[in-house]
Amino acid sequence: MTVVDINIHHLPEDLFSNKKILNGFLNSAPRGFGEIASVIEMENGKQQLVLEKPKGYPNLNYVEGDYSVEAKLAAMDEAGVDYGIMRVPVWQEWLDLETCKAVNDNAASIVERSGGRLFATACVPPWDRQENVDELKRCVEELGFVGVQLACHYGQLYLDDEAFRPYLREIEKLNVPVVVHHTPLPVEYKSILEYTNLRREFGRISDQATAVGRELFSGMFDELPGLKFIHTMFGGNWFANANLLTPKKPQKKEAMQRLDPTGGEKIQQYMRENIFFDMTHPHSWGKDQVEAAIKVSGADHYLFGSSFPVFYSWMSQGVDFIQNEIEVSDEDRDLLFAGNAKRLFNLPI
């Protein structure tokens, strides 16, 4: 059975040796908003790029050597992954255009050196400027990238904001899907700072759930019906929220209407046609939870992803979990592993 991992992290291979690119990453993190980026040396002599928010609370750790084409292909071989789709983890929220161009050029080089096993998604600032649109088109039309990547929010703005509509219209015209990667923390985050697992896992989950909800309730897909968004982290467990947040009209007359019962059919339509989910390291979520998600939303809406190399073992654990632990039909398993990725990204495999 063919396996496609749609969540393989990409950073420039010379990130720690190319001062221009490294400074592009370090200087893009908005220190004035509490994002503290630094490089530290580990005990084994390797360098590590760390992001804290606020200072003293690390949310991202990128280690030198983990992002080479050789490291990716070796992990894929070990895990039984045939193809992978790369994206920049989290940092695309801040990168300037020139740094994005360098990131995209290196991704194209990795794709070329991978022997047809790796594909890339375009990393571009999502603002309505011609030079950004030009880079988007270069990535898709010239470099052959199979999708676009976005953060689920930029600063205080989620993707339903009008500021992103012009850029999203350009993506829709190109007919490529959007991978919506989580940010380290939601816009409102102070209540989850103290505890590491709440900050580094639940923070991402709650941010994804908020992003999906805003996209659905904004009606943006009426204006952009061709957009396909693939959200990480199971969309923040959105399968558990869908019915609750689209209540049916009450059977009896109530003293007042506390929830909006209208629009449920539209929300379901958007869920069918516009919103899909990355099964980010699925074994971490648990058998019952993953099977429930597939039952509720359908196997045609989930795509396997590992978040390699956050934990090196996640790729092989995830493949084994989907292959041997969850109880789904072979047809559904093929959709999760490869069928949905082939269809949404139009992969030539």
Side-chain angles (χ1 to χ4, degrees), residues 265 267-276 300-301:
E265 292 183 3
I267 298 298
Q268 294 299 325
Q269 177 187 337
Y270 304 148
M271 291 290 294
R272 289 192 304 270
E273 299 175 3
N274 303 105
I275 298 287
F276 300 83
D300 61 340
H301 275 63

Side-chain angles (χ1 to χ4, degrees), residues 86 127 166 190 201 209 223 231 237 253 265 270 296 334:
M86 298 184 295
W127 311 107
K190 291 183 179 179
E201 291 284 29
E223 185 179 341
H231 279 270
N237 279 332
K253 185 177 180 179
E265 292 183 3
Y270 304 148
V296 171
D334 181 63

Side-chain angles (χ1 to χ4, degrees), residues 74-298:
M76 291 165 64
D77 288 341
E78 181 180 328
V81 171
D82 300 286
Y83 302 97
I85 299 176
M86 298 184 295
R87 69 181 74 163
V88 175
V90 175
W91 221 280
Q92 75 269 32
E93 182 184 354
W94 311 296
L95 293 181
D96 60 50
L97 180 60
E98 290 307 308
T99 306
C100 284
K101 288 180 178 178
V103 168
N104 292 330
D105 286 342
N106 183 239
S109 173
I110 288 177
V111 169
E112 185 176 357
R113 287 180 280 135
S114 73
R117 296 183 64 189
L118 289 169
F119 302 91
T121 53
C123 181
V124 183
W127 311 107
D128 184 24
R129 300 189 183 106
Q130 187 57 49
E131 57 266 33
N132 294 340
V133 174
D134 290 343
E135 176 63 7
L136 171 67
K137 291 181 177 179
R138 180 181 81 97
C139 288
V140 176
E141 298 177 345
E142 297 179 26
L143 300 181
F145 286 14
V146 297
V148 180
Q149 55 185 277
L150 291 173
C152 65
H153 69 73
Y154 289 79
Q156 304 293 304
L157 304 179
Y158 285 92
L159 296 177
D160 61 294
D161 193 277
E162 288 287 342
F164 302 110
R165 295 296 169 87
Y167 184 72
L168 293 176
R169 287 191 193 99
E170 296 296 332
I171 295 175
E172 185 184 35
K173 291 176 186 176
L174 291 170
N175 194 31
V176 290
V178 178
V179 173
V180 185
H181 200 80
H182 48 266
T183 49
L185 291 168
V187 171
E188 295 90 11
Y189 61 86
K190 291 183 179 179
S191 61
I192 59 173
L193 277 181
E194 286 184 77
Y195 305 109
T196 298
N197 290 6
L198 280 179
R199 186 176 71 254
R200 299 195 65 147
E201 291 284 29
F202 185 71
R204 290 154 166 80
I205 293 169
S206 61
D207 203 28
Q208 280 288 335
T210 301
V212 172
R214 292 186 64 94
E215 291 156 15
L216 291 172
F217 285 105
S218 70
M220 60 182 285
F221 296 116
D222 280 342
E223 185 179 341
L224 301 164
L227 276 183
K228 300 286 191 294
F229 276 12
I230 304 168
H231 279 270
T232 57
M233 308 295 285
F234 284 78
N237 279 332
W238 190 259
F239 70 92
N241 304 322
N243 286 337
L244 175 67
L245 294 176
T246 53
K248 307 295 187 294
K249 291 182 180 180
Q251 296 179 349
K252 295 182 179 180
K253 185 177 180 179
E254 302 290 344
M256 68 175 293
Q257 188 59 261
R258 291 177 171 84
L259 294 172
D260 181 3
T262 63
E265 292 183 3
K266 273 289 185 183
I267 298 298
Q268 294 299 325
Q269 177 187 337
Y270 304 148
M271 291 290 294
R272 289 192 304 270
E273 299 175 3
N274 303 105
I275 298 287
F276 300 83
F277 305 106
D278 170 353
M279 305 172 74
T280 314
H281 46 93
H283 58 283
S284 302
W285 297 77
K287 179 179 184 294
D288 291 343
Q289 288 78 6
V290 172
E291 289 177 355
I294 294 168
K295 181 178 180 180
V296 171
S297 303

Side-chain angles (χ1 to χ4, degrees), residues 37-53:
S38 61
V39 174
I40 63 173
E41 185 169 317
M42 303 169 63
E43 292 183 359
N44 61 8
K46 289 187 176 183
Q47 296 185 88
Q48 180 183 178
L49 179 61
V50 181
L51 183 73
E52 300 170 280
K53 183 177 181 177

